[in-house]
Amino acid sequence: MTNFDFGHPEILDAVRRALAEDIGGGDLTTNSTVAAGRHATGRFHARQDMIVAGVELLPLIYAELGGVDFLGLHVTSGDRAADGDVLATVRGQARMLLTAERVALNFMQRLSGIATYTRRHVEAVAGTGCRILDTRKTTPGLRRLEKIATAAGGAVNHRLGLFDAVLIKNNHITAAGGVEQAIAAVRAAGLPPGVRIEIEVRTRGELDEALTFGAEHLLLDNLTPAEAAEWIRVINKRATVELSGGMRLEKLRDYALAGPDFISVGALTHSAVAVDINFRLHLEA
């Protein structure tokens, strides 16, 4: 995927669904309390240190609602922001700015939370040669946006879905009848050019079998750092190595020093906490 492609149709659809979910037939509170025709300026402020992601959704949100005279984005996804920094400024119809506020904040807080949490993982393995991968453990319907956020935090996007890469996991191995059979079946299926075969191995026997039959990318799951180091010595660069399973932040560097090419972390998306961003409106005279 293109890491920062905010123009993708799936993203526009997510924005439209979020607006429809929140606004429905109209903003009863705003339309009752704010006179039509009033103009205002609004600013999005960081309320903590963070890695920004999702600010580029603001033009999409405001384009759907109309009524904006000016929009300035002061940061882009991947930038670091400090407590108090202004992330974006918007001027337009006061009613519209208030109606759009929650959807804009929900996206920016969630995605920036993912980017910020991801950056902590990336910094934990800095200098080891290991890179952090994201996973498919994402919010249904928001995967493309959440993978933009992990990329903003410095992670490498793994497969976007089941359609763009092969990952033979334990249940596939069981269903196929073994490692050899699973690899052979995938090769016989006629993959598109450039698609690599990744396979999860759970035992030393499966590891040896996967190497014998030419697996190019090995997923080693639920090992200790010492076990991972031993297995990686056996592999001896004959395949790309990814570690997964129980990759907690406090132990991440120990795993990275075992020598893998990648560590995949589902928590980047399923356990990230939203950051604190607020929106302040100033009515014009």
Side-chain angles (χ1 to χ4, degrees):
M1 64 176 288
T2 302
N3 291 340
F4 298 99
D5 180 13
F6 284 94
H8 194 279
E10 289 177 13
I11 291 177
L12 180 56
D13 179 63
V15 167
R16 287 172 172 165
R17 285 187 287 108
L19 290 169
E21 174 185 66
D22 200 39
I23 300 170
D27 181 349
L28 298 179
T29 306
T30 296
N31 293 342
S32 299
T33 59
V34 180
R38 294 299 302 270
H39 277 65
T41 297
R43 293 182 177 85
F44 292 89
H45 295 265
R47 296 288 299 274
Q48 65 180 83
D49 293 347
M50 67 182 68
I51 303 300
V52 176
V55 67
E56 294 89 347
L57 293 174
L58 292 178
L60 301 180
I61 293 169
Y62 294 132
E64 287 297 304
L65 297 178
V68 166
D69 303 319
F70 169 80
L71 172 62
L73 306 183
H74 308 308
V75 293
T76 59
S77 291
D79 286 348
R80 189 181 296 273
D83 185 2
D85 285 352
V86 178
L87 308 180
T89 301
V90 60
R91 180 184 179 277
Q93 296 175 13
R95 281 187 173 183
M96 187 281 300
L97 297 184
L98 288 169
T99 297
E101 175 183 352
R102 177 43 53 197
V103 169
L105 286 173
N106 281 351
F107 276 124
M108 291 173 63
Q109 290 174 325
R110 169 66 179 161
L111 297 179
S112 296
I114 291 172
T116 301
Y117 192 47
T118 298
R119 184 64 60 87
R120 292 177 62 194
H121 288 73
V122 170
E123 290 173 347
V125 304
T128 66
C130 175
R131 302 188 71 184
I132 301 297
L133 290 176
D134 59 19
T135 73
R136 289 167 45 243
K137 297 176 182 178
T138 54
T139 306
L142 296 180
R143 178 170 297 164
R144 191 171 293 270
L145 279 170
E146 293 186 348
K147 282 182 171 282
I148 284 174
T150 59
V156 177
N157 291 144
H158 205 331
R159 55 182 180 162
L160 185 59
L162 298 174
F163 52 86
D164 62 349
V166 171
L167 174 48
I168 304 168
K169 300 199 76 175
N170 55 358
N171 285 331
H172 298 105
I173 294 170
T174 299
V179 169
E180 177 186 358
Q181 293 88 334
I183 293 175
V186 169
R187 287 181 173 150
L191 296 177
V195 174
R196 302 181 74 194
I197 300 173
E198 179 177 0
I199 185 166
E200 177 183 5
V201 292
R202 301 162 289 182
T203 67
R204 281 292 300 273
E206 288 185 343
L207 172 62
D208 292 340
E209 195 174 359
L211 290 170
T212 297
F213 292 100
E216 299 170 307
H217 189 134
L218 298 173
L219 175 62
L220 313 183
D221 202 20
N222 291 309
L223 301 179
T224 67
E227 289 169 337
E230 180 186 351
W231 287 34
I232 289 168
R233 283 194 294 271
V234 171
I235 295 165
N236 193 27
K237 302 186 183 301
R238 287 179 286 171
T240 299
V241 177
E242 174 187 341
L243 300 182
S244 184
M247 296 292 130
R248 292 184 172 83
L249 184 58
E250 62 271 17
K251 286 287 188 181
L252 207 61
R253 191 166 187 84
D254 292 338
Y255 279 103
L257 290 171
D261 300 285
F262 299 103
I263 294 175
S264 55
V265 185
L268 302 182
T269 47
H270 71 58
S271 295
V273 176
V275 297
D276 191 358
I277 300 171
N278 74 357
F279 180 74
R280 285 291 176 262
L281 190 77
H282 304 277
L283 278 176
E284 298 180 359

